[in-house]
Amino acid sequence: MIIKMKSAATRADVEYVVARVHSLGLKSHVSEDGGQVLIGILGSFDDATPSAFTGLRGVERVLPTKRAYRLASREYRPEPTEIRLGDVVIGGDQVVIMSGPCSVESRDLLIEAAILAQKAGATVLRGGAFKPRTSPYSFQGMAEDGLKILAEARDITGMPVITEVMSSETVPLVSEYADILQIGTRNMQNFHLLFAAGRQPKPVLLKRGMMSTIEELLLSAEYIMSQGNTNVILCERGIRTFETATRNTLDLNAIPVLKELSHLPVVVDPSHATGRRSLVPAMARAAIASGADGLLIEMHQNPEQALSDGDQSVTPDQLSNLVEECRRVSVAIGRTL
Amino acid sequence: MIIKMKSAATRADVEYVVARVHSLGLKSHVSEDGGQVLIGILGSFDDATPSAFTGLRGVERVLPTKRAYRLASREYRPEPTEIRLGDVVIGGDQVVIMSGPCSVESRDLLIEAAILAQKAGATVLRGGAFKPRTSPYSFQGMAEDGLKILAEARDITGMPVITEVMSSETVPLVSEYADILQIGTRNMQNFHLLFAAGRQPKPVLLKRGMMSTIEELLLSAEYIMSQGNTNVILCERGIRTFETATRNTLDLNAIPVLKELSHLPVVVDPSHATGRRSLVPAMARAAIASGADGLLIEMHQNPEQALSDGDQSVTPDQLSNLVEECRRVSVAIGRTL
Amino acid sequence: MIIKMKSAATRADVEYVVARVHSLGLKSHVSEDGGQVLIGILGSFDDATPSAFTGLRGVERVLPTKRAYRLASREYRPEPTEIRLGDVVIGGDQVVIMSGPCSVESRDLLIEAAILAQKAGATVLRGGAFKPRTSPYSFQGMAEDGLKILAEARDITGMPVITEVMSSETVPLVSEYADILQIGTRNMQNFHLLFAAGRQPKPVLLKRGMMSTIEELLLSAEYIMSQGNTNVILCERGIRTFETATRNTLDLNAIPVLKELSHLPVVVDPSHATGRRSLVPAMARAAIASGADGLLIEMHQNPEQALSDGDQSVTPDQLSNLVEECRRVSVAIGRTL
Amino acid sequence: MIIKMKSAATRADVEYVVARVHSLGLKSHVSEDGGQVLIGILGSFDDATPSAFTGLRGVERVLPTKRAYRLASREYRPEPTEIRLGDVVIGGDQVVIMSGPCSVESRDLLIEAAILAQKAGATVLRGGAFKPRTSPYSFQGMAEDGLKILAEARDITGMPVITEVMSSETVPLVSEYADILQIGTRNMQNFHLLFAAGRQPKPVLLKRGMMSTIEELLLSAEYIMSQGNTNVILCERGIRTFETATRNTLDLNAIPVLKELSHLPVVVDPSHATGRRSLVPAMARAAIASGADGLLIEMHQNPEQALSDGDQSVTPDQLSNLVEECRRVSVAIGRTL
């Protein structure tokens, strides 16, 4: 249950409601959303409980939470959220291609990759400065040096930059350099990181945990949004199943499901999902046909020499073809690219 | 390891090879494929074993089986298999829509459904006369009466008919009426049924088990093909995962993977996979964009009153829109519909 | 919803009820259980529907089916079902060890294996005459010759014999030779086979599908029981998950869950579940500690030379140790072995 | 590949090896383990590469990494690791019961729970001060106040305390109060947290991600160990599968597998795995029978009123019975409790 206070509600009004919550043996969680206070209620209540609050001063509405998330839901905001970064709009008519190498390996390689990706049709540059690696002995990324190179690439190409943030401590640092903060699949339920991302101003691309349900993805988006940052982009990147022919199983069913449940933009990462270069174009086209607002595609000038994830990176030429194919599918379903 | 005998090999040649197999402590499995004898070898052998056979009389080639399936593999047959049913070609340039109700409920309903499906753009009629049901207390289908109604609908509309066969005993009966035999997800490893389907002349649509890997699907196709019937259509219909937002997880990754591994046509059933009408159009479009050769779409004049699977059936009008959208996606990727 | 007719109900009473079912636009499924007629109702009904039947002549009770299965449920029969085969009781205090080779490979090997298994502590002999194999080129079993050898082993050792039946056509044949019919994991939803097994007199051991839910297992048991054969033994044999360290994931949680939901005996097959000999003893002990009524353990005199599944077979010595360990665990939880 | 330097190797020796690594176009990762330097090598190398290092000064051994983890492996340390906390030894002959409420809710409740748990047979006290919650509107724990209460309970009962740490920032705080740091299932791949836990002196209980493989669990343990803290306890707590009858599927197969692969102690949490109180005793017994070194059991004086996870908490009386049953199983397999 969530109590939505009026914009005009005073602090005393809020405190009165909270006291009442406690007097009923319930817990409260107060958050703010665009100047309006929301009071989440926790504990065992029944259908009659809302009536204990509907008449109180300052209370606008008592929302029975059929869904555990509110701010991320379609009911809360029926029209789609559009996120603007200069000329790029994520969640609008245009399908957005975000591309670049898995990790920033050197200044020259990255700058060259950025120019090639842009030429191939990308409008957002991706690249990892901090790398989550399953093994402690794997390459862990260039950290702040990598962020600076990404910023330089943005200056040269004009493309906004998306890069991963892996811990709440580094959120301020990454937020300073990046245009979009990416939260990776292994951190989807790192709640401290979610809260920290919710308290800085840049949009956040939240990847679905490879082991997480669609509802949990929306609940994690809610963590970010509950702190005031409502510019969240959801990303499907493959789930773990019994099938081993592909690295993960890209769950495109999630796209129309998320579009029904939420107003947030949804993008797809076929590179990490399939783990195989040869499958990326087919899944990229399918993602757009299913309604995705954009794609994250790993590209590398020389995939065989990449320090990480070379098997799944396409070459600049392959990216160019892929974008062309995706453009035709976009037009076929009434969108642009 | 598989030994491919020459067309001109005699029975004595085959027997000599088999005896040698046994003398090495190995087992043999003899099958025929278009006049050529294949001898499958079972047991513990090493890289040197093939040389024990390469020189023997009648032996054309010794195939080291990197893959456990042969006849279904791209290596065995590089060009795509096309299956012709009158004007309809499955596996060619044209994307094929197979539609109709989940089960045959009455003559009049089915005939009407067939005409409506055809008008909406379907070129193959689907409908179940035998129904696999998880509960013994559920509607089990109209059996032969249903087959007769399907045949009548074919006579009226000219559309070939696909229907499910559930047991090896009923293969002859279903084969008499149907143009394509469907083997359902729960029977993908019913090996007796696979063998029986391989010994009759009609094409077989083989649904992936909801719990089966892509390799197992191809091995089950191999069961059918090893008996002489090489007209097999593979069908992705959703796999079981931890996600409960959709009934199953339609695994579109399987489409490009199957196209790499096999020459057989691949179709997709988004109705059973998602279990929800509202998700069918998006997944139908995505299936085609991923490279599928056709779709199985459940349609019902009045989904709320269907005796089975009403939640996932689209109406004739929805089918018509879906086909129109799929046609545009087909054209965008260089195919027709 | 299920209508339970009185034992004294006449055929006319049943027909009257069925007619009423149909007049309400619902479907019926009539079955018999120990002289009592059960009428399963299918279709869209609401809470008020039962009242249309409670007063009718011959109706004993109208059971709202919270659960989709009835005969297999604890509500239907609160006391545990015990299945007797001579001195062996499955489902009683004593934990039963069923052991033997994966497949019958020759008379001498099988007879020797039977004697060794008995010496090690087994009281039921297992062995496959018909083998379900993923590849058509694998060893398919000795068929009736294998059944005869099993019968001979029973004559020699006195142990009842369990063996797999793979198709409804072969049910009469297998039923003639075997003491318990085993239905394998890939056939758990082969509904024709389930019905056929329900119409013969021997107990049936039903293996859970490797990707079937516990509820589906009980529904498949219901298929058998609805035909009159209530001697069903449930078997957990591992489910398919993302984990690849073991062949399947033995789901021991299913044991206490099944014991809550059903009165049927439950046994566990750690050999097929883990696929690795070294893991079998630990999982055998754990199965008993979790409440299983018995174990299926594959044993082979010379696992390296087995024609199938050698990796998971224990040697006679290992079986002997395993039984000794399991006996101590059985006693620790108040049972015997 | 990992290069193990001699204890006597100088800093110059290490630098020389690292320079050679780089001259071959490879990356290095230097860590220390008990005074010995380990140099992890990253990049594309072949079978001949080790020979480039074997002769160098200060190099003890070049380990080809068949397994991606080293310090956690049985090869690295054949004898089992025992972790001592006063009188309690985890990983020795004695099976250890860790129990207490899911979260610290108040001082009095916790102190009472600690005394009751101890009386029932627990020797380690568990309780959450920081709670990972899927929803931002759920109770998030008492934080440092909770830690102080746990420390007080330790003073009163003498039991060491285990509690969860959720972020790298709070590692020093939790490490100050707790005797064992718990890292939860959602943080198993929060690599910053793993590194931080590896740099403090208290033992770490690492829960397997609910959709992580056994190998990934060991790699995460390696993250901690690579920083110098080798006192890691592994914990199986259920994995996510298609089965919904239990909250997760407790994967007891992991116990013997982990025991084969690693020398680290392994404990089991049947409470979170099953999510249902009635299943906890059976799975607790089975865990011990499969070889677990201990159990984490949630207990609450009044489960119906717990602020979190009440459904899975046993009462003190139930805990007492469970410990008694587990003691008998422990003795049956040659251990104590």
Side-chain angles (χ1 to χ4, degrees), chain A residues 280-299:
Chain A
V280 170
M283 299 320 288
R285 295 191 306 261
I288 291 173
S290 76
D293 296 305
L295 299 172
L296 269 173
I297 306 283
E298 287 202 353
M299 185 210 77

Side-chain angles (χ1 to χ4, degrees), chain B residues 30-94:
Chain B
V30 178
S31 62
E32 252 196 85
D33 176 49
Q36 274 195 303
V37 170
L38 296 177
I39 306 172
I41 314 287
L42 175 79
S44 307
F45 46 80
D46 55 33
D47 290 354
T49 312
S51 64
F53 299 97
T54 36
L56 300 188
R57 207 173 61 176
V59 170
E60 182 178 310
R61 220 154 41 116
V62 182
L63 307 160
T65 34
K66 275 175 25 193
R67 305 200 186 285
Y69 49 89
R70 288 298 310 164
L71 309 176
S73 72
R74 248 318 155 188
E75 291 94 332
Y76 187 83
R77 182 185 157 96
E79 68 275 26
T81 285
E82 298 189 356
I83 295 173
R84 290 171 186 278
L85 297 155
D87 294 342
V88 178
V89 180
I90 301 169
D93 282 344
Q94 192 161 4

Side-chain angles (χ1 to χ4, degrees), chain B residues 133 168-169 211 223 240, chain C residues 133 168-169 216 223 240:
Chain B
R133 303 305 298 264
S168 46
E169 300 98 311
M211 50 187 100
Y223 258 90
R240 199 164 255 189
Chain C
R133 303 305 300 264
S168 46
E169 299 99 311
E216 287 168 344
Y223 258 91
R240 197 164 256 184

Side-chain angles (χ1 to χ4, degrees), chain C residues 3 5 13 33 47 57 62 75 95 108 120 136 147 165 168 187 189 195 235 254 263 277 283 289 291 333 337:
Chain C
I3 296 171
M5 302 297 288
D13 292 342
D33 176 47
D47 290 353
R57 205 171 62 174
V62 181
E75 290 96 331
V95 171
D108 291 356
L147 295 174
V165 58
S168 46
N187 277 321
Q189 294 193 318
F195 273 141
C235 178
H263 53 87
R277 187 180 310 126
M283 299 320 288
I333 61 164
L337 189 162

